[in-house]
Amino acid sequence: MTSLTNKDKATVKAFWAKMAGRADEVGAEALNRLVAVYPQTKTYFAHWKDVSPGSAPVKKHGITVMNGVADAVSKIDDMKGGLLTLSELHAFTLRVDPANFKLISHCILVVLAIMYPTEFTPEVHVSMDKFLAGLALALAEKYR
């Protein structure tokens, strides 16, 4: 993985500031895409009454995911240390396969590109991709 440069960090923070007001919407749509495009991910949500795209639990978890992304943006200089509790939760309690972090990252990127066609420039795309890859790595830290 390529590490985040200072320019990448500034780009992520600036883009996040622009889209933070719609983060819940981004998260809901990203989770909708996750369960539709990668149906195997539904197994982690079997305890929900409705796991279909657009359902209330899917939307709610999308918001939860984006709250975690917001936390990661605020801890961008030390995501591994800053997100250790979240890593432990996913590794030991939820037992989520870390490959799924890459899947949701991809879905987030797709939604951002759709929702922000002008602002999601190639430069922003690269920086956000590197950031989300770093976030996925930080969440997978306790799996090692």
Side-chain angles (χ1 to χ4, degrees):
M1 181 196 91
T2 307
S3 60
L4 289 168
T5 64
N6 287 335
K7 184 176 179 184
D8 289 323
K9 292 176 186 179
T11 300
V12 167
K13 288 177 184 178
F15 183 71
W16 184 263
K18 288 179 187 178
M19 57 82 47
R22 293 180 71 192
D24 290 358
E25 189 180 343
V26 171
E29 183 55 32
L31 252 289
N32 283 336
R33 285 181 174 273
L34 181 74
V35 298
V37 177
Y38 306 105
Q40 71 273 19
T41 60
K42 291 180 182 182
T43 61
Y44 295 104
F45 311 114
H47 57 286
W48 294 351
K49 288 184 181 182
D50 186 1
V51 189
S52 62
S55 70
V58 170
K59 288 180 183 178
K60 183 179 178 201
H61 193 64
I63 293 167
T64 300
V65 168
M66 292 310 285
N67 287 337
V69 174
D71 191 30
V73 171
S74 74
K75 296 172 180 170
I76 199 165
D77 291 317
D78 182 22
M79 286 193 284
K80 282 185 184 178
L83 302 175
L84 200 55
T85 302
L86 202 53
S87 176
E88 289 173 344
L89 172 70
H90 283 82
F92 303 130
T93 305
L94 303 174
R95 299 179 186 260
V96 175
D97 182 337
N100 291 299
F101 303 142
K102 293 177 184 178
L103 299 180
I104 188 62
S105 294
H106 178 72
C107 291
I108 291 169
L109 287 173
V110 169
V111 172
L112 292 174
I114 292 168
M115 289 179 64
Y116 297 91
T118 305
E119 298 91 343
F120 199 71
T121 63
E123 178 185 67
V124 170
H125 185 165
V126 168
S127 295
M128 287 300 295
D129 189 31
K130 289 166 63 176
F131 165 72
L132 291 170
L135 173 53
L137 192 62
L139 289 177
E141 182 66 19
K142 281 297 178 176
Y143 289 83
R144 299 163 215 243

